Amino acid sequence: MLDKFPTAIVEADDYGWIPLHYAAYLGNVKVVELFLKKNSSLAYIMDKEGMSALHISAKKGHVGVMRTLIRNCPETCELLDNKGRTALHVAVETGKKNAVEILLKELAFQDLINEQDEEGNTPLHLAAINGSYTILLMLADDRRVDKWAMNEEGMNAADIIQLDNRLLSCEKDVLMSKWNRDNILLSLERVVRQTTKVQTHETEGLEEFHETQGMVRNTTPKDNTSPKDNPGRDTPIAKFNITAMTIFTTVTFAAAFQVPGGYEDSGLAILRKNKHFRTFLIFDCLAFGTSAAVMCIHFAITIFPEVKYPRLSRYAEMLQVPLVEFSIFWMIVAFYGGVQAVLDENDPSNLASWATFYLVISILVPLFFIFCCTMYTVKF
């Protein structure tokens, strides 16, 4: 069929599109293969916007067409549109996750991952500008991506992310942890300050330069990573959660089978009709359930990758904290019920009342101390 119209396959319409462009736009792999088999140079023809067939297929997310074009014409990866953008730029800008994955895996694209367009934006910059959280995670997890690259406005992707009001604070925290993990997160202010000091050295002499460099060393934090900026699953908080929940689950499980007051010969709990015993049993079950839920969530996060399931991972991590708090509260109430169940309320020594008093004091005093320390820190 194509042999009958040898010139038609290279004729462009008013938009500069040739038949191959339309085949790429529609995602028709078989037609694209036919065109390339007839004339592989068609892959290098650009429309009036400088878009090649690879750009167009990346924009639409047609991964089959993209693979065909790259396999037959790998040099098309180096083609730039009128804005100086590669196919990866276009895929990121349009939010085509599958297209981004394909291009990151292709060997022909290895040296183009950090390519900058006319405005100095890398694909990571465009992902930050468009607020594409899933693609941002994908690029941030790739060690080859230069997270430190500056665009023409003197901003890196981290600066753009911090200024973006569309992203949730928890999403920003997860993204910032990627920068902290690689020890490459520096703010735009620090970069400008260091650049200014170098210029001062060139104009005002060596002595002032050494003085300002000393100021930089004194004001630069020794550790760029903080628990707040790195809420990932490898932080001390995350490790504490799983350790604490393992202990809580074990204790509450054992308490359910070593109940206060012991058992009758029939195996039934002696104090099963006592109201405090019922309080103990109900809240012990609640504490066991919430602690077991945290453990299940922790294992779910490790099974399902954050890149593929960003929302699941994010919400799971957010849910762990309130569940830990509930588990602690339920365990305290269960302990109170168990203590009261084995004590006589009519005991003249008021042992039950004293036990309650000491339980409340042992909890409130440390909390009050932490509150006072916090207020003092905030005030001064």
Side-chain angles (χ1 to χ4, degrees):
M1 178 66 71
L2 295 178
D3 294 335
K4 298 179 180 180
F5 307 99
T7 58
I9 62 175
V10 296
E11 290 184 359
D13 59 11
D14 294 339
Y15 300 100
W17 280 35
I18 61 175
L20 176 63
H21 291 155
Y22 284 98
Y25 179 84
L26 297 173
N28 197 320
V29 178
K30 292 184 178 179
V31 175
V32 170
E33 290 177 342
L34 287 175
F35 280 126
L36 296 180
K37 185 176 181 180
K38 179 63 180 178
N39 186 355
S40 61
S41 63
L42 296 174
Y44 301 93
I45 296 179
M46 322 279 273
D47 66 5
K48 291 187 177 180
E49 295 181 359
M51 303 271 282
S52 67
L54 182 59
H55 285 88
I56 295 171
S57 58
K59 184 176 182 178
K60 300 300 295 183
H62 297 315
V63 295
V65 173
M66 294 170 60
R67 286 195 182 99
T68 301
L69 289 166
I70 296 174
R71 183 178 65 251
N72 291 276
C73 307
E75 292 83 3
T76 56
C77 295
E78 301 178 7
L79 296 177
L80 305 178
D81 64 8
N82 293 345
K83 296 181 180 180
R85 299 182 178 182
T86 65
L88 181 58
H89 283 96
V90 175
V92 170
E93 186 177 36
T94 53
K96 296 300 185 291
K97 176 185 174 182
N98 292 337
V100 174
E101 287 180 337
I102 293 300
L103 294 175
L104 291 176
K105 293 178 182 178
E106 290 293 337
L107 292 176
F109 237 97
Q110 299 305 298
D111 297 330
L112 301 169
I113 294 176
N114 298 308
E115 186 76 17
Q116 294 179 295
D117 61 14
E118 290 183 348
E119 297 178 353
N121 292 320
T122 65
L124 183 62
H125 279 102
L126 294 183
I129 291 171
N130 289 279
S132 304
Y133 178 71
T134 303
I135 295 179
L136 272 170
L137 276 180
M138 189 187 309
L139 294 174
D141 277 329
D142 195 318
R143 298 282 184 172
R144 301 166 300 173
V145 174
D146 184 7
K147 306 178 187 66
W148 189 210
M150 293 285 189
N151 61 12
E152 293 296 328
E153 296 181 0
M155 301 181 71
N156 58 36
D159 299 316
I160 299 172
I161 292 170
Q162 294 284 26
L163 296 174
D164 193 348
N165 294 326
R166 293 169 297 178
L167 293 173
L168 300 176
S169 59
C170 59
E171 292 176 330
K172 292 183 180 181
D173 288 340
V174 172
L175 290 169
M176 290 303 97
S177 70
K178 309 298 181 181
W179 269 259
N180 289 330
R181 179 196 61 192
D182 296 331
N183 294 321
I184 58 173
L185 179 59
L186 290 175
S187 66
L188 179 62
E189 180 182 356
R190 285 178 58 191
V191 175
V192 172
R193 186 189 303 123
Q194 291 177 2
T195 303
T196 303
K197 294 182 185 302
V198 172
Q199 293 175 346
T200 302
H201 161 59
E202 296 176 349
T203 57
E204 297 183 9
L206 185 59
E207 183 177 354
E208 292 185 8
F209 171 73
H210 285 308
E211 181 180 354
T212 55
Q213 287 299 308
M215 294 172 60
V216 171
R217 287 193 293 271
N218 291 332
T219 57
T220 301
K222 295 182 180 180
D223 187 1
N224 290 330
T225 304
S226 66
K228 179 180 179 181
D229 293 333
N230 191 7
R233 57 188 64 123
D234 293 330
T235 61
I237 294 178
K239 293 180 180 179
F240 167 78
N241 284 348
I242 187 60
T243 303
M245 288 305 99
T246 302
I247 297 173
F248 291 170
T249 305
T250 304
V251 171
T252 52
F253 179 86
F257 295 96
Q258 297 291 331
V259 296
Y263 298 91
E264 296 177 349
D265 294 337
S266 62
L268 297 176
I270 295 175
L271 300 176
R272 61 184 181 276
K273 296 182 180 180
N274 184 289
K275 64 177 182 179
H276 292 299
F277 177 83
R278 294 175 182 176
T279 299
F280 158 78
L281 194 59
I282 291 172
F283 285 94
D284 185 73
C285 291
L286 288 172
F288 175 81
T290 50
S291 58
V294 174
M295 294 180 67
C296 293
I297 291 173
H298 177 81
F299 288 119
I301 292 175
T302 60
I303 293 173
F304 298 100
E306 185 177 287
V307 174
K308 293 186 178 180
Y309 306 95
R311 291 187 180 275
L312 175 63
S313 179
R314 185 168 70 256
Y315 293 140
E317 291 180 355
M318 293 172 57
L319 188 60
Q320 287 188 74
V321 176
L323 284 177
V324 171
E325 294 173 348
F326 278 122
S327 182
I328 295 173
F329 176 75
W330 301 147
M331 191 170 63
I332 293 172
V333 177
F335 177 82
Y336 167 79
V339 170
Q340 295 298 317
V342 297
L343 296 177
D344 185 2
E345 295 181 352
N346 298 321
D347 185 356
S349 65
N350 293 323
L351 184 58
S353 299
W354 280 108
T356 303
F357 173 76
Y358 286 123
L359 175 62
V360 173
I361 290 298
S362 64
I363 296 173
L364 293 182
V365 168
L367 293 178
F368 180 74
F369 176 75
I370 294 175
F371 174 77
C372 292
C373 291
T374 304
M375 295 302 296
Y376 178 83
T377 303
V378 172
K379 184 177 180 179
F380 296 99

